[in-house]
Amino acid sequence: MAYLALYRAWRPQRFEEIVGQEKAVKSLKNAIKENRLSHAYLFAGPRGTGKTSIAKIIAKAVNCENPQDGEPCNACSSCIDINNGNFMDVVEIDAASNRGIDEIRDLREKVRILPAQGKRKVYIIDEVHMLTTEAFNALLKTLEEPPDYVMFILATTESHKIPATIKSRCQIYQFRRLTTDEIVERLRKVAESDNIEFEEEALLIIARRANGGMRDALSVMDQINAYKDGRVTKSDVLDVLGIVDDLFLINLMESVINRDTAAVVKMISTALNEGKEAQQLAREMVFYLRDLLIYQGLGEKADFYVIDRENMHFLDKQKARANQAFLLKSLRIMINTMEKLRFSEGGKFLLEMSFLEMIEIISEMENATSASQKVEVKPQPAVKEVKKVNKGTRDNSEEKVLWQKILAGVKEKKIPTHALLSQGKLIGIKDDVIYIGFKKGYKFHKERMEEKGNREILEEVLEKIFGKPLEIQFIFIDDEQYNDIMVKKAIEYFGEDIVQIKD
Ligand SMILES: Nc1ncnc2c1ncn2[C@@H]1O[C@H](COP(=O)(O)OP(=O)(O)OP(=O)(O)O)[C@@H](O)[C@H]1O
Ligand SMILES: [Mg+2]
Ligand SMILES: [Zn+2]
């Protein structure tokens, strides 16, 4: 026997088998029982939530020889023929592939012919939003005065694209996404009846990933069955979906918050080396950030995409340290990266840059907070000394403005490059050489800035600002007492006229 995909094998045959969509199920079933169905319905809602399934159940119920309580019997010749697609009076049109007016004209003519086999002619038009304007107009004429024995069931995932004139002639049912629990329950049933053992956690991940669509969930189950005999574990599902464990994401975020650049870079490498896709990883991070944000707002009531409830407690610390502004910014960065990665190959670099940018943002935010707190508590004793060092040399505000200008120019060209460069400091410019310093801990940033792509971006910006090309020197400056050492180093480099900005 040919293999039948699970989602087909498990197409609900009766209203009773439909998961969710209570409102549609209840009122349609009653309308069938009381013989007061409308001539036209519009089923609107996300993919794989039961629109076509319910349309077929209606088509069977109105033509069934032995309907029971509004349900089709699925045993009479009409039901069987409809199930097999051999029933002349039930016509399925896929508007996505038949956009033309000809099909609808044809339909207009055939509508006039009495049912050949059954009691009612049922036209199911899937993806109806794909019809052309002319086709819609032709359809409208038919909807205006349909013969008694004709019924239209239109289905769409994009109801906003349906003309109001069409909508106003239909009874509309809005289908909803199925909940994770509803999907898990159905998957469990399928697994049991097919004698495949699934870890509960594995089912949960499939259901969460399906984003409310039952068809996608069943398709994933199919893929897993094809590759695995015996008990299916959480990690099998992660492999098939090409996604990472939620604990991995939790750790990754932990490293970002701890500003541990090295750990972040290493974790990304590990995941990619294990065969995960950069885009998928960005996507997972988007889900994760979303979960964390929701958790901040709703606490235990949050409904998670990627986080396992068991691991929820790991989020508490992150919830406290990562404020909402940071999470929202990070979310924007990751969504952006995810989009970009759709069109580019090896996305490792982009991915790293996005995480580094997140680190930069949280560093800035935390520094700003701690600085303002310190100022409030007691004036910094070091301030005087620093001034003394600067005194006699020069006021460095001009240099700061210049550095901001350079950073802004780079940011305009490429945000990841800006994320790298902003960890450095302008030390000075002499003889057409610009010296930019990095603290020891920012070796990664320095090395990436030295790479061709990033260096060229900086070169372009510098040439625009100075009106001539500058040579770039990236140097290390010591870690402790960043500012003072920076000045000392600069003196070594530049002698007395420290960081003198020519031009
Ligand atoms: N509400 C549901 N209850 C049970 N199974 C469902 C439900 N919705 C979808 N399924 C499963 O998914 C498969 C596809 O569903 P269906 O064709 O009804 O979705 P649809 O809403 O028409 O989607 P699309 O918009 O992509 O056409 C079904 O064969 C069934 O296995
Ligand atoms: Mg459909
Ligand atoms: Zn029947």
Side-chain angles (χ1 to χ4, degrees):
M1 203 180 80
Y3 179 72
L4 196 58
L6 278 183
Y7 77 87
R8 279 179 195 270
W10 284 81
R11 186 186 278 292
Q13 302 296 346
R14 299 155 55 84
F15 283 117
E16 200 188 67
E17 293 168 26
I18 294 280
V19 177
Q21 321 305 0
E22 299 77 4
K23 201 171 148 242
V25 166
K26 192 171 167 212
S27 57
L28 288 166
K29 213 169 128 184
N30 279 334
I32 292 167
K33 263 199 300 197
E34 294 160 15
N35 199 18
R36 48 170 184 79
L37 277 174
S38 263
H39 283 285
Y41 289 93
L42 175 63
F43 293 168
R47 287 158 37 84
T49 52
K51 300 183 295 296
T52 306
S53 302
I54 292 189
K56 286 212 164 158
I57 295 172
I58 296 174
K60 281 187 290 185
V62 296
N63 282 298
C64 179
E65 289 153 32
N66 310 300
Q68 302 138 353
D69 195 31
E71 296 271 20
C73 75
N74 285 304
C76 70
S77 65
S78 300
C79 283
I80 290 172
D81 283 349
I82 294 172
N83 276 342
N84 296 332
N86 296 329
F87 197 78
M88 282 176 67
D89 299 318
V90 174
V91 182
E92 277 188 75
I93 299 172
D94 176 15
S97 47
N98 298 294
R99 302 194 59 194
I101 188 163
D102 291 345
E103 285 75 12
I104 302 293
R105 277 220 186 99
D106 188 45
L107 182 153
R108 272 181 74 189
E109 279 159 28
K110 294 207 174 125
V111 152
R112 306 276 148 214
I113 308 168
L114 285 168
Q117 231 178 323
K119 299 178 239 181
R120 283 188 99 159
K121 279 190 148 167
V122 183
Y123 289 92
I124 301 172
I125 310 183
D126 252 324
E127 300 302 326
V128 65
H129 62 272
M130 298 291 281
L131 291 180
T132 59
T133 312
E134 288 98 331
F136 267 129
N137 288 335
L139 178 62
L140 194 59
K141 295 255 161 57
T142 323
L143 286 179
E144 272 165 355
E145 41 188 74
D148 275 352
Y149 49 81
V150 170
M151 246 190 101
F152 286 95
I153 304 175
L154 317 179
T156 183
T157 46
E158 298 182 50
S159 67
H160 58 278
K161 290 187 182 159
I162 314 272
T165 45
I166 300 268
K167 280 187 179 167
S168 67
R169 286 182 173 74
C170 296
Q171 204 168 317
I172 302 176
Y173 284 103
Q174 184 64 49
F175 282 53
R176 64 168 172 86
R177 289 183 199 287
L178 302 170
T179 66
T180 305
D181 287 348
E182 285 169 338
I183 297 178
V184 166
E185 200 178 315
R186 183 80 168 173
L187 293 177
R188 202 182 292 132
K189 215 180 208 169
V190 172
E192 271 166 20
S193 103
D194 286 4
N195 266 321
I196 313 163
E197 209 189 330
F198 271 82
E199 261 182 23
E200 193 63 17
E201 187 62 21
L203 293 180
L204 199 60
I205 293 175
I206 300 176
R208 284 207 202 107
R209 290 309 148 143
N211 197 15
M214 191 70 89
R215 189 199 294 106
D216 285 356
L218 290 169
S219 299
V220 170
M221 211 168 185
D222 248 342
Q223 284 177 47
I224 292 167
N225 292 349
Y227 127 115
K228 173 92 189 203
D229 292 322
R231 187 178 162 82
V232 178
T233 63
K234 174 178 174 180
S235 100
D236 293 327
V237 177
L238 295 175
D239 279 352
V240 165
L241 291 174
I243 57 178
V244 289
D245 196 316
D246 62 330
L247 281 175
F248 176 90
L249 295 168
I250 291 171
N251 279 327
L252 189 54
M253 191 64 187
E254 197 73 28
S255 303
V256 168
I257 293 176
N258 291 332
R259 311 185 209 171
D260 190 344
T261 310
V264 168
V265 170
K266 195 166 162 217
M267 287 184 83
I268 294 173
S269 262
T270 310
L272 298 184
N273 289 342
E274 276 173 10
K276 314 284 182 198
E277 298 281 338
Q279 201 223 354
Q280 189 62 39
L281 197 54
R283 218 176 122 80
E284 295 298 295
M285 204 59 204
V286 167
F287 286 144
Y288 181 83
L289 288 163
R290 174 262 177 214
D291 280 358
L292 192 50
L293 266 163
I294 301 285
Y295 186 54
Q296 255 183 357
L298 298 181
E300 304 226 333
K301 280 189 229 125
D303 190 11
F304 297 121
Y305 272 161
V306 290
I307 295 164
D308 193 339
R309 295 203 87 78
E310 242 173 54
N311 296 328
M312 197 161 61
H313 62 279
F314 287 119
L315 301 190
D316 287 331
K317 209 164 70 190
Q318 300 189 2
K319 190 178 80 170
R321 274 190 70 190
N323 66 32
Q324 203 182 28
F326 164 68
L327 292 179
L328 282 171
K329 275 187 185 165
S330 302
L331 193 57
R332 241 169 268 140
I333 293 169
M334 271 304 150
I335 289 174
N336 199 349
T337 304
M338 182 176 88
E339 289 298 314
K340 278 191 193 144
L341 285 175
R342 232 198 273 180
F343 306 105
S344 72
E345 286 283 291
K348 187 176 176 198
F349 181 68
L350 263 182
L351 200 58
E352 285 170 347
M353 288 309 101
S354 323
F355 279 100
L356 296 186
E357 207 183 338
M358 280 163 64
I359 293 179
E360 190 212 353
I361 293 171
I362 197 161
S363 304
E364 271 174 11
M365 284 182 171
E366 289 192 344
N367 289 344
T369 323
S370 64
S372 69
Q373 278 165 356
K374 269 180 198 157
V375 168
E376 268 168 43
V377 180
K378 49 178 179 172
Q380 278 264 53
V383 167
K384 259 189 182 164
E385 275 173 55
V386 172
K387 273 208 179 125
K388 215 164 128 196
V389 175
N390 283 339
K391 218 173 163 187
T393 53
R394 51 175 229 106
D395 174 10
N396 67 358
S397 68
E398 192 187 348
E399 172 199 344
K400 266 194 190 141
V401 170
L402 178 64
W403 185 230
Q404 287 314 318
K405 206 167 149 189
I406 294 171
L407 284 175
V410 169
K411 190 169 192 175
E412 220 166 77
K413 286 191 184 288
K414 203 164 173 196
I415 289 177
T417 310
H418 170 261
L420 291 171
L421 189 63
S422 59
Q423 295 301 335
K425 286 263 157 135
L426 173 62
I427 293 183
I429 301 167
K430 199 177 165 113
D431 301 332
D432 290 344
V433 181
I434 181 167
Y435 293 85
I436 294 168
F438 284 90
K439 284 197 284 181
K440 261 193 209 147
Y442 290 81
K443 182 162 175 279
F444 173 84
H445 296 66
K446 176 174 171 285
E447 285 172 358
R448 285 293 147 103
M449 273 315 299
E450 279 162 350
E451 284 169 7
K452 193 162 169 266
N454 290 314
R455 179 184 279 272
E456 277 173 3
I457 287 173
L458 180 56
E459 276 169 2
E460 282 168 30
V461 171
L462 292 173
E463 183 160 359
K464 210 169 146 203
I465 293 176
F466 293 93
K468 60 180 177 188
L470 289 188
E471 190 192 313
I472 306 165
Q473 279 290 341
F474 295 108
I475 57 176
F476 274 128
I477 43 182
D478 281 17
D479 226 352
E480 328 109 47
Q481 294 194 310
Y482 186 25
N483 282 312
D484 289 33
I485 299 289
M486 192 192 103
V487 175
K488 276 188 216 146
K489 284 273 172 186
I491 292 171
E492 274 172 38
Y493 272 99
F494 296 104
E496 269 313 300
D497 60 353
I498 164 180
V499 285
Q500 203 59 269
I501 314 292
K502 309 265 156 77
D503 289 331

